[in-house]
Amino acid sequence: MNILMLSSTFPYPPTRGGTQVRTFNLLKYLSQRHSVTLATQREGDVTDAEVAGLRDCVDHLAIFERPPDSGNTGILQKIQRFGRFLQQGTPPSVLNRYSVEMQTWVNNWVEAGKCDVITCEHSVNEIYVQPHFQKQLKTIVNVHSSVYATCRNQLSTGISENSFRDKINLPLLRRYEQNYCAKFSAIVATTEEDKIQLQEFNPNSEITVIPNGVDLVSFPNRTTDPGGHRLIFIGAMDNLANIDAVCFFSNEVLPEIQKLYPDTTFDIVGSHPVPEVLILDQKPGINVIGRVPSMVEYLHQATICVVPMRTGFGIKNKTLEAMAAGIPVVASDRGLEGLAVDGASHRLRALRANKPAEYVTAISQLFDRPHLRSELSHNGRQLVETEFTWDIAGKSYETVCLARSNTNL
């Protein structure tokens, strides 16, 4: 097949964040068997070497400049943006990334019959798919997470950056998600929870759950347990859900752990730490490390990986990567979403915690019991190997692309 993939996020190298990791690995799999064209946007920190690296992975690479960030606009501009959202139905977060040049290119590519399938990698790219495209080719939206469900969750957990704005936006986001999904031949979600949400909006849509995966070569199983009292969190540190997670853990959980184990350290590893994360480095035992060449090296040195997410939908790459590396995981319901890790019918693959006291109990158990760490390490790795590799995800994505996509073939 000739596949056109759209990603306003530059998906290389696949270590920048969850969106990049999923997009790159699905692209990499499809390009082994099909002709893949990628249309993407280049941000300021993307190097020429990274462009060259991505170009080697596809048959054709079309790069467009990302529109300049509007930044902190004044109240009048915010009112105007909300007015457009109310009238047109498209959120400012989507319009801010929109490139007229990229739209013209996509339209011409489709009209010239150069693709059999078009995929939007993350719902923000839906804006480039015209409703009439469905009549010409298979159109797929790969919804990394429901924007409506994410906004609703942030409001319910109290971590919304602007609760007044989000309360107004919530019904508009519901309308937006319902409308854009109707343009697509097929919808892909990462979890059953998102599928249920999207199916409610679009009961007649073909929706397939394809979870995230792990590159087992990049995240090998560790050979030894370092012991000690070293905690780690991994993830992009300009992401709202990650910022909330590390601030919550640093302020409400870690001090209680350190009362029991005074030498406990907490490494925060991930790119672009924002000021509220950087200031955590001043607290005892906390190390804000930032972007690193190899995440797995830091994981292998840790005793436990914590994933204290309170918001953010979808399967968390960070959880899967820690499990693949053989690191025992203590995580919240959000951090374990989409994963069968406990309960009577499953082997114990991670410890679950949501409240500070639950984190203290779970972490203490793992600090004190090497055999429990070994059990989680083995079972977690086995879960990833059998259910969450990018080969498995890629095969499922290819099946969605192939299904009833032969109108032009």
Side-chain angles (χ1 to χ4, degrees):
M1 289 186 301
N2 294 312
I3 302 172
L4 172 60
M5 302 182 79
L6 306 180
S7 175
S8 61
T9 302
F10 193 84
Y12 191 89
T15 52
R16 288 172 173 263
T19 299
Q20 291 93 327
V21 170
R22 182 173 174 87
T23 300
F24 175 79
N25 281 286
L26 293 176
L27 175 156
K28 181 180 173 183
Y29 183 90
L30 291 176
S31 66
Q32 295 171 14
R33 296 165 175 79
H34 307 281
S35 174
V36 174
T37 296
L38 175 69
T40 188
Q41 292 179 332
R42 180 175 183 171
E43 299 171 48
D45 61 346
V46 173
T47 66
D48 290 342
E50 289 169 345
V51 171
L54 181 58
R55 198 180 301 278
D56 287 341
C57 300
V58 294
D59 289 85
H60 184 73
L61 179 63
I63 299 181
F64 304 89
E65 293 299 319
R66 185 163 173 178
D69 192 349
S70 56
N72 294 320
T73 54
I75 186 68
L76 181 60
Q77 288 82 3
K78 290 179 179 178
I79 292 172
Q80 288 172 339
R81 285 193 307 189
F82 176 73
R84 285 198 297 271
F85 186 13
L86 191 64
Q87 184 177 14
Q88 300 174 8
T90 305
S93 59
V94 176
L95 293 173
N96 289 346
R97 296 172 177 233
Y98 181 66
S99 163
V100 174
E101 184 187 7
M102 184 167 162
Q103 180 72 75
T104 301
W105 185 92
V106 170
N107 291 350
N108 291 338
W109 194 263
V110 172
E111 287 169 13
K114 293 185 177 182
C115 55
D116 310 306
V117 179
I118 185 169
T119 75
C120 292
E121 304 306 319
H122 198 296
S123 58
V124 72
N125 299 285
E126 63 75 22
I127 194 169
Y128 296 106
V129 173
Q130 307 295 320
H132 69 267
F133 284 3
Q134 256 194 95
K135 298 175 182 176
Q136 299 170 245
L137 72 167
K138 178 113 180 187
T139 54
I140 301 168
V141 60
N142 186 359
V143 182
H144 290 205
S145 61
S146 163
V147 290
Y148 167 73
T150 298
C151 180
R152 185 181 61 186
N153 178 250
Q154 289 176 353
L155 283 169
S156 66
T157 55
I159 75 151
S160 170
E161 288 182 310
N162 186 329
S163 59
F164 176 74
R165 175 201 64 196
D166 287 347
K167 284 176 183 175
I168 296 173
N169 283 348
L170 191 62
L172 299 179
L173 288 172
R174 181 187 178 95
R175 181 186 69 179
Y176 164 69
E177 201 152 75
Q178 188 168 15
N179 288 344
Y180 87 67
C181 282
K183 296 191 298 183
F184 291 91
S185 316
I187 299 169
V188 172
T190 62
T191 66
E192 286 291 339
E193 188 172 357
D194 264 0
K195 178 181 178 178
I196 291 167
Q197 178 67 75
L198 294 166
Q199 200 92 62
E200 180 187 327
F201 294 159
N202 303 272
N204 299 319
S205 294
E206 171 196 332
I207 304 178
T208 305
V209 175
I210 302 178
N212 287 337
V214 178
D215 179 348
L216 297 179
V217 175
S218 299
F219 289 88
N221 198 3
R222 74 178 175 193
T223 54
T224 58
D225 177 354
H229 304 127
R230 188 168 179 175
L231 306 174
I232 191 172
F233 177 92
I234 60 173
M237 290 320 307
D238 56 353
N239 174 278
L240 178 63
N242 289 344
I243 295 166
D244 174 74
V246 297
C247 289
F248 159 71
F249 189 84
S250 299
N251 294 322
E252 299 189 39
V253 180
L254 185 62
E256 299 305 311
I257 293 289
Q258 289 172 329
K259 289 177 183 177
L260 301 172
Y261 308 89
D263 63 337
T264 300
T265 60
F266 179 39
D267 292 341
I268 300 171
V269 185
S271 59
H272 306 301
V274 296
E276 53 262 57
V277 174
L278 289 171
I279 201 170
L280 296 174
D281 197 66
Q282 299 174 13
K283 291 179 175 289
I286 297 182
N287 306 300
V288 179
I289 294 168
R291 186 177 178 181
V292 295
S294 174
M295 195 74 80
V296 73
E297 291 180 15
Y298 283 84
L299 282 169
H300 282 175
Q301 295 166 15
T303 319
I304 302 167
C305 180
V306 294
V307 191
M309 314 298 291
R310 298 196 293 182
T311 187
F313 279 69
I315 289 181
K316 307 301 180 292
N317 284 334
K318 57 177 63 66
T319 306
L320 293 176
E321 289 167 354
M323 287 181 169
I327 318 305
V329 170
V330 175
S332 64
D333 291 341
R334 290 263 74 88
L336 296 172
E337 184 183 348
L339 304 177
V341 300
D342 51 13
S345 58
H346 304 291
R347 291 181 178 180
L348 188 62
R349 292 153 171 160
L351 297 187
R352 190 181 300 270
N354 291 292
K355 298 175 181 178
E358 294 170 347
Y359 280 101
V360 173
T361 299
I363 291 168
S364 297
Q365 286 179 335
L366 285 170
F367 278 169
D368 294 340
R369 296 166 60 186
H371 287 295
L372 180 58
R373 294 200 302 272
S374 178
E375 180 185 356
L376 296 191
S377 175
H378 176 267
N379 291 346
R381 172 73 183 191
Q382 190 176 55
L383 174 67
V384 173
E385 287 179 344
T386 55
E387 296 184 34
F388 296 101
T389 68
W390 284 119
D391 268 358
I392 295 170
K395 286 175 186 173
S396 299
Y397 204 40
E398 182 183 39
T399 299
V400 173
C401 291
L402 286 167
R404 297 192 299 276
S405 64
N406 58 356
T407 51
N408 290 354
L409 301 180

